Amino acid sequence: MSGLTCEQLDELEERVEELLAEPWDKGTGRPRELTLREALIVSCGYTRNNITEEVWAEIFSVHQTTVSRYITELTPLIDQATEEFRPSAEEAAEATRDAIALVDGTLWPCWSWEGESKLWSGKYKTTGHGSLIVTNLQGRITFVSEPVTGNRHDMAKLEGSDVEKILKKAGGVFGDKGFIGTDYITTPIRKPQCRQLLQWQHEWNNQVSSFRAPVERAVATLKTWRILFTDYRRPLTTFKSSFRAAIGLYFFKESFA
């Protein structure tokens, strides 16, 4: 349910326990409704499956408010515990140096909060936050950018960002039409308004698409952490911590491969 193996859960539990301000089970006073391991299963499982808190409450025979409290308490700790596994911009730049890189933009959807019009993405026709993902030719993710509001186009996310610095050190970069206009990213040719694409242009686009396929598969794999794929329902102020926890858990699992 947590998306982690027993070995991975053991390691995460040890890391989170070290970050607790006080012992989970004090041995005095009112006992916790769930053990630390069970609470981690709930918190990681919520990130993995994004099912409602009421369902988790029924699974563990506790109240929904208990589940909500533990998710709120442990998600930032999971974020901290897995921080070292999330590649930094410097690590990603070194891994990408002089190699072929792939880049793609994606949206992490969320509820449409009143007064948060910047979350609306015209490209995806829904609300959420956007990031850029960089992979190598084999589809291994080397960097995931911090989320920004969904109204920002891929080029706006790229300009002046860590991703731009990473890609400029690569030996070559393939991207989709959202990156047309850069002088260092190879993109498909956009269809002119006045005519169809020529045969050689179709062939060019097919070749670019075949090179880009690994990054699209990588994004799909990342979104098996369903909190990144289905609407985020918790308070908007908690999104970035939940996002970092999900990305951290992805790379944490990868470190065991």
Side-chain angles (χ1 to χ4, degrees):
M1 291 188 296
S2 66
L4 305 176
T5 66
C6 289
E7 180 188 5
Q8 292 162 357
L9 196 55
D10 288 340
E11 174 71 17
L12 182 64
E13 183 178 3
E14 184 178 327
R15 288 173 172 270
V16 169
E17 197 165 21
E18 291 176 354
L19 295 171
L20 291 172
E22 54 187 25
W24 185 262
D25 186 1
K26 299 177 185 177
T28 59
R30 183 178 179 181
R32 294 269 196 174
E33 293 90 339
L34 298 176
T35 65
L36 177 57
R37 191 179 189 86
E38 289 172 334
L40 281 172
I41 290 172
V42 169
S43 301
C44 294
Y46 187 86
T47 302
R48 179 70 171 183
N49 299 294
N50 202 21
I51 59 177
T52 62
E53 294 173 355
E54 287 82 0
V55 173
W56 284 111
E58 288 187 20
I59 292 172
F60 286 91
S61 300
V62 295
H63 199 275
Q64 177 268 329
T65 56
T66 299
V67 169
S68 179
R69 185 171 67 253
Y70 287 163
I71 290 174
T72 300
E73 181 179 354
L74 290 180
T75 298
L77 297 181
I78 294 171
D79 168 12
Q80 292 179 54
T82 59
E83 182 179 6
E84 68 179 86
F85 298 95
R86 300 194 299 267
S88 66
E90 292 75 18
E91 292 169 337
E94 190 58 35
T96 307
R97 187 183 301 275
D98 298 329
I100 301 298
L102 311 176
V103 62
D104 197 15
T106 193
L107 189 80
W108 322 114
C110 68
W111 278 3
S112 180
W113 277 276
E114 185 177 357
E116 295 291 342
S117 59
K118 291 183 178 181
L119 292 174
W120 175 259
S121 170
K123 176 180 178 180
Y124 295 95
K125 308 301 181 187
T126 190
T127 48
H129 299 81
S131 291
L132 298 177
I133 290 88
V134 180
T135 75
N136 59 18
L137 268 180
Q138 289 71 47
R140 184 176 181 82
I141 299 175
T142 53
F143 190 71
V144 180
S145 71
E146 283 288 288
V148 296
T149 51
N151 66 333
R152 296 185 64 181
H153 189 271
D154 286 347
M155 283 292 288
K157 299 188 196 96
L158 181 65
E159 292 175 358
S161 69
D162 288 334
V163 173
E164 184 178 54
K165 297 173 185 175
I166 292 167
L167 297 181
K168 284 189 173 181
K169 293 184 179 180
V173 185
F174 287 93
D176 63 15
K177 294 177 183 177
F179 299 99
I180 290 177
T182 59
D183 57 0
Y184 58 94
I185 300 179
T186 301
T187 64
I189 298 171
R190 183 177 286 131
K191 177 186 170 300
Q193 291 184 350
C194 57
R195 63 171 175 81
Q196 297 296 318
L197 291 174
L198 302 176
Q199 182 61 34
W200 72 267
Q201 292 174 321
H202 275 295
E203 292 173 358
W204 170 267
N205 285 358
N206 289 339
Q207 288 180 2
V208 173
S209 295
S210 67
F211 276 113
R212 289 190 59 257
V215 70
E216 294 182 344
R217 290 195 294 269
V219 172
T221 301
L222 194 59
K223 288 187 176 183
T224 57
W225 294 88
R226 307 298 287 182
I227 206 167
L228 301 176
F229 180 68
T230 52
D231 282 352
Y232 187 78
R233 300 183 297 271
R234 298 183 64 228
L236 187 57
T237 54
T238 68
F239 174 75
K240 286 194 175 182
S241 180
S242 297
F243 167 82
R244 294 190 190 105
I247 300 300
L249 286 168
Y250 170 83
F251 284 107
F252 176 70
K253 279 180 64 71
E254 286 288 299
S255 72
F256 283 80

